[in-house]
């Protein structure tokens, strides 16, 4: 299946938004999407070959196909010359539309861990509890996790272990309605997310951006903190740096954040 869309797979799938995509030796990307093992290969700046699913509309939406990329780049470029140059050198990078539960559970594991460590934990959880899809496993439902929770220590989640089980329990019982976050505005969404044990401001912003489409979110990790200090002289608390980013870049601050995050890999 050929998807006609201005999207660049390398930065979109490889810049830490989602953690189940791996680049193959032939240059294609393999991941698990909706319990399907999917491979994607860049054919041109405006087209991607997709194998493993025939859900054209679903995978297009997942790749951020609903976004007016031209308008977004124009808006954030007006705010800052540096981001404008980054966007110009990295055309086609998009923000994914991730599954709500999977994104929340994944970013709960992301606390105090680098991208490689997060990926290992997520794959371990999937291998232990997810549906067997052949060469990969699906992301487990809360019930699948709870049904096998006596084996959770084998996943080597460290201090995140009990938080992960508690999240699964609360979602399975209905105490947390993951889909309800999609109906909230940005401020309420991040506030409610932070009511979950293990979800701090950064995780809440990541989930708000990558799962619930709050494009104004501006997650701040160590890399973004360094960039914000080096390029804009902004330091201080998480709130200070994040609010600066949201005010500076406006309704699409999340896109600006992704370009800034990817800055080390963009040749200016």
């Amino acid at each position: 299946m050929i998807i006609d869309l201005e999207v660049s797979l390398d930065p979109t799938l490889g810049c830490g938004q989602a953690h189940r995509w791996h680049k193959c030796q032939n240059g294609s990307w393999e991941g698990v999407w909706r319990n399907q093992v999917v491979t994607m290969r860049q054919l041109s700046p405006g087209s991607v070959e997709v194998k493993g699913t025939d859900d054209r509309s679903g995978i297009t939406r997942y790749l951020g196909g609903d976004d007016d990329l031209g308008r977004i780049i124009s808006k954030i470029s007006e705010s800052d010359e540096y981001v404008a140059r980054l966007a110009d050198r990295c055309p086609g990078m998009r923000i994914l539309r991730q599954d709500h539960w999977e994104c929340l559970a994944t970013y709960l594991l992301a606390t105090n861990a680098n991208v490689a460590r997060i990926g290992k934990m997520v794959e371990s959880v999937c291998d232990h509890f997810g549906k067997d899809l052949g060469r990969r496993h699906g992301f487990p439902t809360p019930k699948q996790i709870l049904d096998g929770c006596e084996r959770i220590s084998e996943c080597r989640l460290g201090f995140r272990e009990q938080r992960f089980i508690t999240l699964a329990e609360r979602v399975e019982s209905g105490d947390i309605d993951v889909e309800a976050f999609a109906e909230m505005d940005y401020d309420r969404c991040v506030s409610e997310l932070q009511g979950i044990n293990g979800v701090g401001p950064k995780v809440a912003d990541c989930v708000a951006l990558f799962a619930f489409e709050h494009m104004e979110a501006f997650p701040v990790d160590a890399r973004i903190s360094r960039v914000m200090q080096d390029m804009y002289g902004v330091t201080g608390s998480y709130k200070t740096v994040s609010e600066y980013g949201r005010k500076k870049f406006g309704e699409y601050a999340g896109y600006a954040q992704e370009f800034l995050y990817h800055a080390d890999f963009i040749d200016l």
Side-chain angles (χ1 to χ4, degrees):
M1 176 172 67
I2 307 299
I3 302 290
D4 293 320
L5 179 68
E6 182 192 355
V7 59
S8 181
L9 295 181
D10 283 359
T12 299
L13 300 179
C15 66
Q17 295 184 56
H19 299 274
R20 301 218 64 199
W21 292 97
H22 308 298
K23 194 169 185 180
C24 306
Q25 289 186 345
N26 66 2
S28 64
W29 286 85
E30 180 188 275
V32 180
W33 177 75
R34 294 184 180 175
N35 276 341
Q36 300 169 92
V37 180
V38 174
T39 58
M40 291 195 259
R41 183 168 65 95
Q42 194 86 49
L43 298 180
S44 73
S47 65
V48 172
E49 179 185 55
V50 179
K51 295 181 179 179
T53 180
D54 58 4
D55 186 350
R56 179 182 298 275
S57 62
I59 202 71
T60 300
R61 174 168 168 72
Y62 175 76
L63 288 171
D66 290 343
D67 291 342
D68 184 342
L69 199 58
R71 180 178 185 274
I72 290 169
I73 300 305
S74 176
K75 294 288 287 185
I76 62 176
S77 295
E78 290 172 3
S79 303
D80 184 69
E81 181 181 342
Y82 179 59
V83 166
R85 286 188 286 132
L86 291 173
D88 184 61
R89 291 298 184 94
C90 191
M93 182 165 69
R94 291 178 177 268
I95 290 179
L96 300 171
R97 299 294 194 271
Q98 297 183 42
D99 175 81
H100 297 165
W101 155 250
E102 180 175 342
C103 187
L104 173 57
T106 293
Y107 275 93
L108 188 79
L109 298 177
T111 306
N112 296 329
N114 60 31
V115 171
R117 173 81 171 111
I118 299 165
K120 288 179 181 179
M121 287 189 288
V122 170
E123 285 304 312
S124 183
V125 164
C126 293
D127 289 344
H128 278 81
F129 306 115
K131 180 180 178 181
D132 188 350
L133 306 175
R135 63 182 182 273
R136 302 285 296 274
H137 286 76
F139 195 89
T141 64
K143 185 177 188 304
Q144 287 174 319
I145 293 167
L146 297 175
D147 285 347
C149 65
E150 70 280 355
R151 295 183 290 121
I152 191 68
S153 61
E154 298 172 15
C155 297
R156 303 177 66 85
L157 306 181
F159 68 87
R160 307 163 191 84
E161 181 179 301
Q162 188 53 54
R163 295 175 178 179
F164 192 69
I165 292 295
T166 299
L167 175 64
E169 290 173 341
R170 293 186 66 189
V171 172
E172 180 63 17
S173 70
D175 184 42
I176 294 176
D177 179 0
V178 176
E179 299 309 311
F181 293 111
E183 305 302 320
M184 301 176 188
D185 64 20
Y186 167 76
D187 289 326
R188 185 182 174 198
C189 181
V190 295
S191 176
E192 294 286 336
L193 284 169
Q194 289 181 70
I196 299 171
N197 185 31
V199 176
K202 190 203 85 168
V203 169
D205 268 333
C206 286
V207 177
L209 177 60
F210 300 135
F212 298 113
E213 303 182 40
H214 288 295
M215 295 295 146
E216 69 268 44
F218 193 85
V220 178
D221 63 0
R223 183 182 296 185
I224 291 296
S225 291
R226 174 174 54 80
V227 172
M228 296 301 285
Q229 180 175 355
D230 292 348
M231 297 305 302
Y232 308 106
V234 180
T235 61
S237 67
Y238 182 96
K239 182 178 180 181
T240 296
V241 179
S242 181
E243 285 188 352
Y244 179 90
R246 287 193 289 116
K247 289 177 181 177
K248 181 173 182 61
F249 298 109
E251 61 183 315
Y252 299 116
Y255 262 94
Q257 189 267 6
E258 283 301 294
F259 285 113
L260 291 169
Y261 182 89
H262 207 62
D264 288 347
F265 306 100
I266 300 173
D267 183 21
L268 289 179

